[in-house]
Amino acid sequence: MPVPQNLVQLFFDAVDRFSTKRAALRYKVGGTRRDLTHQQLARRVLHTALGLRELGLVAGDRVAILSGNRPEWAIADYACLLAGLVDVPLCPTLPPKHVRYILRDSGAAAVFVSGAEQHQKVLEVQHELPELRWVIPFDEPAGADRVMLFARLLQMGAAAEPSHSSFVADGRAADPDAIVTLIYTSGTTGDPKGVMLSHRNFCSNVVAALEVLPIGPDDSCL
């Protein structure tokens, strides 16, 4: 198997290799377990990435993710990779003042949020974040400024797809040394510091992990 050069290659190669599997992601809604296939995941990633471009975000812009574990977290993360955006994951237990610091320090132009609690944290500090142009709730918000509901973002991306036939190919050609994420330290000994990580950093970790724990098409946790 060729060594992947960037995370976009890694993602879409996995979609192709494991497309016959029952699910790429599995989650619960109202106690009922639901599956998201590899092809469904890839489509949502593509439409989210195109939606972000439709909002005016360009390669290199910072996009934060303030959310607990859910399928949309992974979709937003992969979409940022595909669109050449730098994502900034925030721990959902952070208080508003720490959310404000990281959003301001990273220069985030947009932030994905899950649920009313996380959305409220952003609302409390939004007036202090002039670079923050968009808040993208995964769930229906109570009314706020500069909001683009995630479902609407997907619709925008789907509508734009015919005009971007080379979008995935362009993403697969991403520079391995391009920065893909800023992961902030806890800040227990001072202000949090953003650690810059590239495609190459993550891909080398994946390759090293597979040497210790091989995972192939016949493996399953179902």
Side-chain angles (χ1 to χ4, degrees):
M1 175 181 169
V3 176
Q5 298 301 303
N6 61 57
L7 291 172
V8 180
Q9 289 181 15
L10 189 66
F11 172 73
F12 283 102
D13 286 351
V15 168
D16 291 339
R17 290 180 65 213
F18 299 105
S19 60
T20 59
K21 292 294 184 181
R22 176 176 171 179
L25 298 177
R26 177 167 284 177
Y27 59 103
K28 282 187 177 182
V29 176
T32 301
R33 194 177 297 276
R34 297 186 181 181
D35 295 337
L36 191 66
T37 70
H38 287 79
Q39 293 299 333
Q40 288 173 328
L41 175 61
R43 299 300 295 170
R44 294 188 192 183
V45 166
L46 173 60
H47 293 162
T48 302
L50 288 170
L52 292 170
R53 284 291 180 87
E54 290 296 297
L55 291 182
L57 300 178
V58 298
D61 280 348
R62 273 60 168 162
V63 177
I65 307 174
L66 179 58
S67 170
N69 186 23
R70 55 189 293 168
E72 292 86 355
W73 201 110
I75 292 168
D77 182 38
Y78 288 130
C80 288
L81 298 174
L82 178 57
L85 303 166
V86 178
D87 69 31
V88 184
L90 282 80
C91 179
T93 60
L94 289 176
K97 66 177 183 179
H98 289 167
V99 170
R100 177 191 62 210
Y101 177 85
I102 294 174
L103 292 178
R104 185 167 56 193
D105 186 72
S106 66
V111 56
F112 289 94
V113 296
S114 68
E117 179 182 357
Q118 306 304 334
H119 195 180
Q120 183 58 39
K121 292 177 185 178
V122 176
L123 290 179
E124 289 182 22
V125 301
Q126 192 171 1
H127 64 284
E128 301 178 58
L129 302 168
E131 294 186 69
L132 185 65
R133 305 199 299 271
W134 293 102
V135 179
I136 308 171
F138 293 141
D139 310 294
E140 189 75 41
D145 296 331
R146 293 180 286 175
V147 162
M148 171 59 64
L149 191 62
F150 184 67
R152 174 58 182 150
L153 185 74
L154 286 171
Q155 293 172 353
M156 290 172 55
E161 183 179 357
S163 302
H164 297 273
S165 58
S166 65
F167 198 76
V168 171
D170 293 342
R172 291 177 66 99
D175 180 358
D177 292 313
I179 302 302
V180 294
T181 191
L182 292 173
I183 298 180
Y184 276 77
T185 61
S186 64
T188 52
T189 58
D191 290 333
K193 306 295 189 298
V195 179
M196 298 182 291
L197 296 173
S198 68
H199 285 282
R200 194 185 302 275
N201 293 143
F202 283 105
C203 287
S204 64
N205 284 347
V206 170
V207 171
L210 288 175
E211 292 176 356
V212 177
L213 183 65
I215 300 174
D218 296 328
D219 292 310
S220 176
C221 63
L222 300 181

